[in-house]
Amino acid sequence: MAQSLSCHLPNSVPCKKCVVVGNGGVLKNKTLGEKIDSYDVIIRMNNGPVLGHEEEVGRRTTFRLFYPESVFSDPNHNDPNTTVILTAFKPLDLKWLWELLTGGKINTNGFWKKPALNLIYKPYQIRILDPFIIRTAAYELLHFPKVFPKNQKPKHPTTGIIAITLAFHICHEVHLAGFKYNFSDLKSPLHYFGNATMSLMNKNAYHNVTAEQLFLKDIIEKNFVIDLTQD
């Protein structure tokens, strides 16, 4: 997990520096776009737009993690140089992708909100994330129980934590941007785009936000990652 020393050894593979760009409101007015675009690999997630926010978050995207309820459907957001990676949380997610690729009929039942009904990406751009990455995020990094009590909704990692886990597996050095949330002000912006506020994250029943914030604090303090949006 720590930054690799092999980057500096003779005849070694060139060091791959990656930045994982979260969707946090902390990115507003930080003008990190140029810095973000300087990385070898830029990982984004869900519907965090580049269009119209280039100064804050940059222009380039290497990988974008998504799930059916979070993917862009507006073709303006298509980037032919991006590889998009389906993060499947349920069997229906794979069925959704299959139906879109084969022109089948999409059944929208069973999704927590309406999934995209069209795909703005070409088949060559699409990958499916190895479930090993999601399991590593849930059980090894966030220490979630394998079985939740019956009176609790099962929690799963946010796409952001899954993206960081992926980065640990494919990068020599990992930097973060946009993962800091202001829980002391529930009216503060949740994302660098749109009008959602922190109160929405506070109500989320699917994620353990406290566990994720502790994990992020730990990896930043141990210098496993560098946070570009730290004060």
Side-chain angles (χ1 to χ4, degrees):
M1 251 186 246
Q3 296 165 16
S4 171
L5 297 176
S6 66
C7 301
H8 309 293
L9 295 175
N11 305 318
S12 67
V13 176
C15 182
K16 192 183 282 185
K17 283 181 74 170
C18 302
V19 62
V20 184
V21 184
N23 293 334
V26 68
L27 283 165
K28 276 178 180 280
N29 308 317
K30 282 280 198 298
T31 60
L32 282 171
E34 200 174 326
K35 171 79 174 167
I36 288 169
D37 278 342
S38 72
Y39 284 81
D40 301 313
V41 173
I42 302 162
I43 303 175
R44 304 185 194 271
M45 60 223 60
N46 301 328
N47 58 347
V50 166
L51 206 64
H53 299 273
E54 294 86 350
E55 200 173 326
E56 291 166 331
V57 299
R59 300 170 185 276
R60 294 177 47 234
T61 306
T62 316
F63 301 117
R64 183 179 288 276
L65 276 64
F66 73 95
Y67 51 91
E69 296 95 333
S70 77
V71 66
F72 289 125
S73 52
D74 179 349
N76 285 328
H77 291 287
N78 184 26
D79 176 355
N81 298 312
T82 295
T83 296
V84 291
I85 304 175
L86 174 66
T87 309
F89 293 107
K90 52 191 180 295
L92 264 181
D93 295 347
L94 296 168
K95 188 170 189 294
W96 166 87
L97 180 61
W98 175 254
E99 299 295 4
L100 280 180
L101 290 172
T102 58
K105 189 175 188 305
I106 307 271
N107 184 345
T108 58
N109 293 328
F111 294 93
W112 65 270
K113 73 172 189 178
K114 189 177 179 181
L117 300 178
N118 63 302
L119 210 50
I120 65 170
Y121 303 102
K122 304 288 185 192
Y124 75 84
Q125 293 177 266
I126 301 165
R127 302 289 184 276
I128 296 171
L129 186 68
D130 188 334
F132 168 80
I133 298 291
I134 304 172
R135 286 198 299 268
T136 301
Y139 304 135
E140 293 182 31
L141 302 186
L142 297 177
H143 305 295
F144 285 177
K146 297 270 173 91
V147 179
F148 282 85
K150 284 186 178 176
N151 59 347
Q152 271 187 39
K153 279 190 177 175
K155 302 282 194 287
H156 56 72
T158 58
T159 319
I161 298 296
I162 293 167
I164 293 171
T165 310
L166 173 64
F168 282 152
H169 283 82
I170 64 172
C171 306
H172 295 97
E173 192 173 321
V174 178
H175 293 192
L176 308 180
F179 277 87
K180 190 178 178 189
Y181 294 103
N182 181 8
F183 287 98
S184 60
D185 180 7
L186 295 183
K187 291 181 180 173
S188 64
L190 176 58
H191 300 135
Y192 66 85
F193 58 93
N195 301 314
T197 61
M198 278 306 307
S199 58
L200 201 64
M201 180 64 104
N202 233 29
K203 294 174 189 165
N204 198 308
Y206 294 101
H207 304 304
N208 186 333
V209 178
T210 306
E212 296 206 358
Q213 290 297 301
L214 287 171
F215 165 70
L216 288 167
K217 185 172 181 284
D218 186 48
I219 61 173
I220 291 164
E221 285 176 355
K222 289 177 176 168
N223 289 322
F224 289 166
V225 299
I226 290 169
D227 186 2
L228 304 180
T229 38
Q230 277 289 84
D231 294 329

